[in-house]
Amino acid sequence: MSRRVSESHIRRRLAEAETLCRERGAGFTDLRREVFELLLRRVVPAKAYDLQADMIASGRRAAPTTIYRALEFLTEQGLVHRINALNAFVACTGDFRHHHHHDPLMLACSECEQSIEIVSPEIGESIRRALAPTGFQFQGNTVEIRGVCEACQLAAAE
């Protein structure tokens, strides 16, 4: 299941991220940019150690703690989502500027670890309505669903 991401898409997303960080006064350092680019190039979510291996393969070294700090920054800026079900990170596919308003739904495949981001304001609203009787307040965090993607289901049926 290999899917390539176009160089033009990567360049565009990097430029959008850099612009957003500059507008917010947040430093988009070379390391943060590199970690974000590595995530953009991956089809499946990555753990910090996966990103470290990618960096080593390209001739650069960074400690896992340094990569985790970069991932924390990228997550805070809405450029990356942490998928707790996979203990991994993935680049946001939605509009970075509306990250805190779009309540992403992340679908995580248990078989291939691919993730799909669904951006829909209705999801957050539905959750808020469902929780209202409980008094529990949904704070717009990423919602995750773990299951099996269509490609893995088809492969299993063959």
Side-chain angles (χ1 to χ4, degrees):
M1 157 170 302
S2 106
R3 203 175 69 199
R4 272 188 55 76
V5 180
S6 74
E7 290 299 316
S8 63
H9 172 78
I10 291 169
R11 283 192 305 276
R12 181 176 52 81
R13 295 302 274 180
L14 284 168
E16 290 169 353
E18 188 170 359
T19 299
L20 182 71
C21 289
R22 184 175 50 250
E23 289 172 358
R24 291 178 176 171
F28 196 56
T29 64
D30 289 342
L31 176 68
R32 292 168 177 171
R33 179 184 179 85
E34 183 175 4
V35 169
F36 185 55
E37 182 176 351
L38 290 171
L39 283 172
L40 287 169
R41 292 185 180 285
R42 287 181 161 263
V43 175
V44 296
K47 296 171 175 48
Y49 287 98
D50 298 328
L51 298 171
Q52 182 186 32
D54 291 350
M55 292 175 87
I56 290 170
S58 68
R60 180 140 189 240
R61 295 205 179 272
T65 54
T66 305
I67 295 170
Y68 275 117
R69 281 194 299 273
L71 289 167
E72 183 179 325
F73 168 86
L74 295 167
T75 301
E76 288 170 0
Q77 296 304 313
L79 304 173
V80 165
H81 298 294
R82 178 182 171 85
I83 304 177
N84 292 315
L86 302 175
N87 191 27
F89 298 84
V90 65
C92 177
T93 61
D95 182 352
F96 301 143
R97 294 184 189 286
H98 298 104
H99 167 74
H100 298 292
H101 306 291
H102 73 243
D103 300 329
L105 174 64
M106 299 301 295
L107 308 178
C109 180
S110 299
E111 300 295 317
C112 69
E113 294 192 344
Q114 178 179 357
S115 69
I116 300 169
E117 179 179 353
I118 298 175
V119 178
S120 170
E122 293 84 20
I123 293 170
E125 274 311 306
S126 293
I127 292 170
R128 284 179 188 85
R129 278 194 307 277
L131 293 176
T134 69
F136 191 85
Q137 185 178 20
F138 177 63
Q139 297 180 335
N141 296 321
T142 301
V143 176
E144 300 176 19
I145 297 177
R146 192 165 180 130
V148 181
C149 72
E150 184 177 23
C152 289
Q153 291 175 52
L154 291 172
E158 293 177 345

